[in-house]
Amino acid sequence: VGNQTTLMKFFTKA
Amino acid sequence: MFEARLTSAATLKKVLEAVKELLNEASFDCSDSGIQLQAMDNSHVSLVSLTLRSDGFDKYRCDRSLTMGMNLASMSKILKCANNDDTVTIKAQDDADTVTFVFESKKQEKISDYEMKLMNLDQEHLGIPETDFSCVIRMPSVEFARIVRDLAQFGETVLICCTKEGVKFSVSGDVGSANVKLAQTNNFDKEEESVSIEMQEPVSLSFACQYLISFTKATPLSPRVQLSMSSNVPLVVEYEIAELGYIRYYLAPKIED
C-alpha cells in the first residue's frame, strides 16, 4: 500500500 | 446458550456487507452486553470495530461469553437465503463448534435454519486509546460515499484538509487533479443533510482511497457518517446503527514524505 504505515504503530496490543 | 434475534434480517445483511470486503473471517465476541467484533484487514492498515448492543436485539440471551469465529463468505451465502423482512435468530450452544441461523418469514409459514461450522481464529486485539480529535466532521453518508468514489478515479491517495470553514478532499494522479470542498452548513431544519465541523485545530492527512471505498460499504446502515481526525493518528470513520450500536473503521494515515 505504498508508504502506508500500519495501525500497530498507533495502537497497543490489548 | 447463546441466542440473539433481530426482527429484520436486512440489518444483519447490511452489517455483513459493511465488513466482508475488508475481512475474510472474523471473531464475534458475544457477552451479556452484546456482540463485538474487532479485526484488522490482511495488511494491518485498517481496523474494523463493530458493536451490537444486547438491548438493541428483539431477544438476547448469553449465559456464558463465547467467541464465534466465522468465515464471512460462508456467512454471506447463508444470509443471502434470508428475505430482508425475515426474522433472524443466531443460536449457539455453550462450547459449540457450530452456529445456527434461523430465518422466519413474517407470517411464520416458512422457517429455515442454516448451521455453519465455526473457526478457531487467532486474532490479536488492539487497545485503542481514547483520543481527543482535532477535527470531527459529520456529513451525510451518501455524500461521503459519492466524494470517495468520484475522487478514487483520479488517484490512489486522498488528502483530507479540515479547517473551521469546511473540509476539502483532494486527489492527484496521471490524469490531473480533483478537489471537492464542502462548507459547513447551518441547515438546522434539515439536520440529516447538514455538514458540521467541530475543530480544535486544522488537520491535513492523506489516506488510501481503496480503504475509504471499503468503509463506504456501511452507507446503507446510517444516513450520517462521522470522520474524526488528528495529526498522525488513524482516521476514524463511524456509522451509527440505529438503536443497535455502531461500526467504526480506523485507517492509518500515509506517512509524510
Side-chain angles (χ1 to χ4, degrees), chain B residues 6-14 16 74-89 101-106 110-114:
Chain B
L6 284 171
T7 328
S8 155
T11 308
L12 197 58
K13 287 177 180 229
K14 288 177 194 169
L16 187 63
S74 306
M75 189 180 168
S76 178
K77 281 182 193 169
I78 291 173
L79 286 182
K80 284 206 170 82
C81 303
N83 286 319
N84 280 342
D85 60 354
D86 282 355
T87 294
V88 55
T89 307
F101 295 86
V102 181
F103 306 133
E104 294 166 70
S105 63
K106 276 280 165 281
K110 181 180 170 188
I111 300 176
S112 31
D113 65 271
Y114 296 83

Side-chain angles (χ1 to χ4, degrees), chain B:
Chain B
M1 175 80 185
F2 171 77
E3 194 174 335
R5 188 212 308 257
L6 284 171
T7 328
S8 155
T11 308
L12 197 58
K13 287 177 180 229
K14 288 177 194 169
V15 166
L16 187 63
E17 286 303 311
V19 301
K20 79 177 171 72
E21 196 169 285
L22 288 165
L23 312 172
N24 298 325
E25 57 255 336
S27 286
F28 292 78
D29 297 319
C30 308
S31 71
D32 222 22
S33 58
I35 302 175
Q36 285 196 305
L37 178 161
Q38 194 208 81
M40 279 188 282
D41 74 281
N42 293 334
S43 55
H44 288 198
V45 165
S46 72
L47 179 137
V48 180
S49 175
L50 169 74
T51 292
L52 305 174
R53 293 187 310 269
S54 54
D55 59 19
F57 287 86
D58 301 292
K59 184 181 173 190
Y60 191 91
R61 177 182 162 184
C62 184
D63 300 337
R64 251 176 73 186
S65 295
L66 77 162
T67 295
M68 297 193 287
M70 298 197 209
N71 177 298
L72 299 185
S74 306
M75 189 180 168
S76 178
K77 281 182 193 169
I78 291 173
L79 286 182
K80 284 206 170 82
C81 303
N83 286 319
N84 280 342
D85 60 354
D86 282 355
T87 294
V88 55
T89 307
I90 310 168
K91 284 183 188 174
Q93 299 296 326
D94 291 341
D95 296 320
D97 53 7
T98 61
V99 59
T100 303
F101 295 86
V102 181
F103 306 133
E104 294 166 70
S105 63
K106 276 280 165 281
K107 290 179 186 161
Q108 301 256 316
E109 79 283 16
K110 181 180 170 188
I111 300 176
S112 31
D113 65 271
Y114 296 83
E115 194 184 63
M116 183 173 80
K117 288 176 191 151
L118 293 174
M119 309 167 76
N120 257 326
L121 300 172
D122 188 22
Q123 288 193 332
E124 45 193 347
H125 275 242
L126 293 182
I128 302 167
E130 285 288 317
T131 309
D132 287 325
F133 288 97
S134 302
C135 294
V136 177
I137 304 153
R138 294 182 185 86
M139 69 167 88
S141 59
V142 171
E143 184 68 86
F144 178 61
R146 175 72 198 263
I147 291 169
V148 169
R149 190 188 70 201
D150 287 352
L151 294 187
Q153 302 179 97
F154 304 105
E156 288 177 4
T157 303
V158 60
L159 175 68
I160 306 178
C161 300
C162 186
T163 64
K164 63 178 185 297
E165 283 77 34
V167 55
K168 185 170 81 167
F169 301 84
S170 306
V171 164
S172 61
D174 297 340
V175 175
S177 63
N179 297 289
V180 177
K181 285 181 224 165
L182 284 183
Q184 178 161 209
T185 53
N186 296 311
N187 210 344
F188 295 115
D189 46 326
K190 286 185 178 176
E191 205 199 329
E192 292 227 321
E193 294 171 21
S194 68
V195 175
S196 76
I197 294 165
E198 280 170 35
M199 194 206 72
Q200 313 303 323
E201 52 185 319
V203 178
S204 289
L205 288 170
S206 294
F207 301 99
C209 291
Q210 163 204 340
Y211 287 95
L212 297 178
I213 287 178
S214 295
F215 302 166
T216 63
K217 303 296 178 204
T219 304
L221 282 169
S222 175
R224 305 280 293 163
V225 63
Q226 177 175 309
L227 313 180
S228 304
M229 301 201 297
S230 282
S231 287
N232 297 314
V233 302
L235 163 76
V236 188
V237 179
E238 176 172 344
Y239 296 84
E240 214 177 287
I241 308 169
E243 289 161 24
L244 187 59
Y246 60 80
I247 184 161
R248 288 182 189 145
Y249 302 94
Y250 295 82
L251 179 61
K254 292 253 187 180
I255 302 163
E256 301 283 336
D257 285 326

Side-chain angles (χ1 to χ4, degrees), chain A residues 2-13:
Chain A
N3 57 344
Q4 189 77 59
T5 174
T6 70
L7 283 169
M8 288 297 197
K9 193 179 158 210
F10 304 101
F11 299 147
T12 54
K13 280 188 196 176

